[in-house]
Amino acid sequence: LNVSYNFQYQWRNRDVLNYTTDETYETFMEKIKPKSSSSYEGYFVFHEASAGMRYGKGKNWLSLNLRYHNSELATINRWADNAKVSRTFNKFLYNVTLNIAANSKHSLRMAFNSKMRVPGIWTLNDQYNVNNSDYLSVGNPELKPAQEHSAFARYTNVSSRFGTTFMVMAKAEYVD
């Protein structure tokens, strides 16, 4: 039986200031471009609680684990009267692994699991990002996390007589 809890907290700040320049690229300090400049602070809080079990008999075993994921991303725009964008995400995630060893030569392992891809702190801001002039982008405060589901299988055949190992593996992923 396995019970666990993970906690993480990150705080960051970012100031990106873009100015109008003349033909000699001299910066005019009083000409800040408000659409492409920003001053933000943000935090990321992550909680994950899990419970699981593993049952085995000989070389065969089954592992089951269920996790509850809660995270909050927030950014505060210091230029817009401390306007705050905050998003909370909650998901149940799973992990199931089955190992079948027919004998010392042949084994099969299959795993099914899920995980979360949470948007980054700065991607929630609706501010223009002009750091790369070839790729201008703007954040999206309506972003939601992506949940990734994957399945993995591996067959192994070991020959101690010939000193060889033969494996076949397959993996499939789906991102929701």
Coordinates of all heavy atoms in Angstrom, one line a residue, residues 18 31-38 79 127:
N18 N 9.6 47.7 -23.6 CA 9.9 48.0 -25.0 C 9.7 49.5 -25.2 O 8.7 50.0 -24.8 CB 9.0 47.2 -26.0 CG 9.4 45.7 -25.9 OD1 10.5 45.3 -26.2 ND2 8.4 44.9 -25.5
K31 N 9.1 57.0 -23.9 CA 8.2 56.4 -24.9 C 8.1 54.9 -24.8 O 8.4 54.1 -25.7 CB 8.7 56.7 -26.3 CG 8.8 58.2 -26.6 CD 7.6 58.6 -27.3 CE 7.8 60.1 -27.7 NZ 6.9 60.5 -28.7
I32 N 7.7 54.4 -23.7 CA 7.5 53.0 -23.5 C 6.2 52.6 -24.3 O 5.2 53.2 -24.3 CB 7.2 52.7 -22.0 CG1 8.5 53.0 -21.2 CG2 6.8 51.2 -21.8 CD1 8.4 52.8 -19.7
K33 N 6.4 51.4 -25.0 CA 5.3 50.9 -25.7 C 4.4 50.0 -24.8 O 4.8 48.9 -24.5 CB 5.8 50.0 -26.9 CG 6.6 50.8 -27.9 CD 7.0 49.8 -29.0 CE 7.7 50.6 -30.1 NZ 8.2 49.7 -31.2
P34 N 3.2 50.5 -24.4 CA 2.4 49.8 -23.5 C 1.9 48.4 -24.0 O 1.7 47.5 -23.2 CB 1.3 50.7 -23.1 CG 1.2 51.7 -24.2 CD 2.6 51.8 -24.8
K35 N 1.6 48.3 -25.3 CA 1.0 47.0 -25.8 C 2.0 45.9 -25.7 O 1.7 44.7 -25.7 CB 0.5 47.2 -27.2 CG -0.7 48.0 -27.2 CD -1.7 47.3 -28.1 CE -3.0 48.1 -28.2 NZ -4.1 47.4 -27.9
S36 N 3.3 46.2 -25.8 CA 4.3 45.2 -25.8 C 5.2 45.1 -24.6 O 6.2 44.4 -24.5 CB 5.2 45.3 -27.1 OG 5.9 46.5 -27.1
S37 N 4.9 46.0 -23.6 CA 5.7 46.0 -22.4 C 4.8 45.5 -21.3 O 3.6 45.5 -21.3 CB 6.1 47.5 -22.0 OG 6.9 48.0 -23.0
S38 N 5.4 44.9 -20.3 CA 4.7 44.4 -19.1 C 5.5 44.3 -17.9 O 6.8 44.3 -17.9 CB 4.2 43.0 -19.5 OG 5.3 42.1 -19.7
W79 N 1.1 46.9 -14.0 CA 0.7 48.1 -14.7 C -0.7 48.3 -14.8 O -1.2 49.4 -15.1 CB 1.3 48.0 -16.1 CG 2.8 48.3 -16.2 CD1 3.7 48.3 -15.2 CD2 3.5 48.6 -17.3 NE1 4.9 48.6 -15.6 CE2 4.8 48.8 -17.0 CE3 3.2 48.7 -18.7 CZ2 5.8 49.1 -17.8 CZ3 4.2 49.0 -19.6 CH2 5.5 49.2 -19.2
Q127 N -0.7 39.6 -22.8 CA 0.2 40.6 -23.2 C 1.0 40.0 -24.4 O 1.3 38.9 -24.5 CB 1.2 40.8 -22.0 CG 2.0 42.0 -22.1 CD 1.2 43.3 -21.9 OE1 0.2 43.2 -21.3 NE2 1.6 44.4 -22.5

